[in-house]
Amino acid sequence: MARAPEASALQSSRDFGMPPLAATSYRRDAQFLEDLRELLAEIGQSSKASPLAPVCSALAAQDDDALGEAADRVLAGTSNDSEAAAVPLLGAALQVYFTRLASTLETKDLEGVDVPTICPACASRPVASLVRLDPERPSLRYLCCSLCHTQWNLARITCSSCESDKGLQYFGLEGADGKPDRPAWRAEACDDCKGYLKIFYQEKDPHADPAADDLASLALDLLVDERGFARSGPNLLFHPGGG
Ligand SMILES: [Zn+2]
Ligand SMILES: [Zn+2]
């Protein structure tokens, strides 16, 4: 059962217009290490023959302080290349923990945050954006939190990093025949800040999933990187330096 943040903490984040679960400063309780150790045991057990098993057992052998510090580095984006294999496991446990906490929040807890490019619940950057298939509110674009899975609205054709609405370009993959490959996948790249983030269109693929499709479309990252743009939000299940 999720322990909700203290009412006084929620009130003070409202007073200051801060996301209530600001991830890099939030004091995680013991539940996080329980989540992580449970996930390591489950994955270690179910993938005994895979290269993940030794990574799970090496992580499980670490003490609580070392695991907490490694998780802090994942949140800060400062993991070492030597721990690249552990990043997806730590990232998955952080997602479980913060998603459960975010699910205890009410809309009013999120309303005071006026920086539209960070998650109103946990202050993380989005992993991608999604144009939802919603007959009542067609074609609205939502940014999708890389940590707690909260989705929030941002106008279309707006940079999700610097909020510029000029000089945005959209890149997609092409098949060998020159026709668009995977039309539901695009990268939205900004000439002002040289950042990019992917945007997925449910009208072209109703099953588009921002976190999973982001990992499935690394070819699109390569294409946009080559044109001089840098990714503006992380995917916690992937350590970029670790390839
Ligand atoms: Zn979030
Ligand atoms: Zn920009």
Side-chain angles (χ1 to χ4, degrees):
M1 199 43 210
R3 268 160 286 191
E6 302 271 334
S8 59
L10 289 177
Q11 185 58 49
S12 93
S13 58
R14 267 203 295 280
D15 292 346
F16 292 100
M18 289 289 295
L21 306 172
T24 52
S25 56
Y26 189 79
R27 293 168 65 97
R28 300 184 300 266
D29 63 15
Q31 178 72 50
F32 168 67
L33 289 162
E34 282 174 37
D35 289 343
L36 175 59
R37 292 197 183 280
E38 201 172 301
L39 182 133
L40 293 175
E42 256 175 49
I43 295 179
Q45 194 62 31
S46 64
S47 59
K48 273 187 183 146
S50 95
L52 264 184
V55 183
C56 287
S57 43
L59 267 179
Q62 293 191 28
D63 66 28
D64 290 354
D65 287 349
L67 288 177
E69 285 162 19
D72 287 344
R73 287 193 292 279
V74 172
L75 288 176
T78 56
S79 301
N80 312 312
D81 283 352
S82 64
E83 57 190 353
V87 165
L89 298 163
L90 294 160
L94 285 164
Q95 287 178 339
V96 168
Y97 178 77
F98 277 98
T99 301
R100 192 198 292 116
L101 272 176
S103 72
T104 67
L105 298 176
E106 294 173 43
T107 312
K108 68 176 170 30
D109 298 326
L110 309 180
E111 282 171 348
V113 182
D114 54 7
V115 184
T117 55
I118 59 167
C119 172
C122 78
S124 297
R125 295 276 306 136
V127 61
S129 60
L130 182 69
V131 178
R132 277 200 218 149
L133 196 58
D134 179 348
E136 307 217 334
R137 284 181 278 181
S139 297
L140 284 187
R141 178 261 282 275
Y142 294 84
L143 297 181
C144 308
C145 180
S146 56
L147 180 64
C148 78
H149 294 98
T150 296
Q151 297 189 356
W152 67 102
N153 179 238
L154 180 74
R156 300 271 294 263
I157 319 183
T158 303
C159 173
S160 60
S161 184
C162 76
E163 297 174 63
S164 170
D165 57 2
K166 301 189 179 61
L168 287 159
Q169 301 185 56
Y170 293 82
F171 296 101
L173 295 171
E174 283 182 0
D177 56 2
K179 293 204 179 118
D181 191 23
R182 306 298 301 238
W185 298 352
R186 287 274 179 277
E188 183 178 67
C190 171
D191 273 338
D192 272 4
C193 69
K194 294 289 172 196
Y196 80 90
L197 209 61
K198 288 179 209 153
I199 177 164
F200 299 105
Y201 298 85
Q202 282 189 333
E203 67 198 8
K204 303 218 166 74
D205 175 3
H207 302 294
D209 176 276
D213 285 352
D214 181 49
L215 284 176
S217 55
L218 293 178
L220 189 51
D221 291 276
L222 295 177
L223 181 131
V224 188
D225 284 348
E226 275 173 11
R227 284 166 171 71
F229 297 96
R231 204 181 146 103
S232 64
N235 189 316
L236 297 188
L237 303 184
F238 180 70
H239 176 62

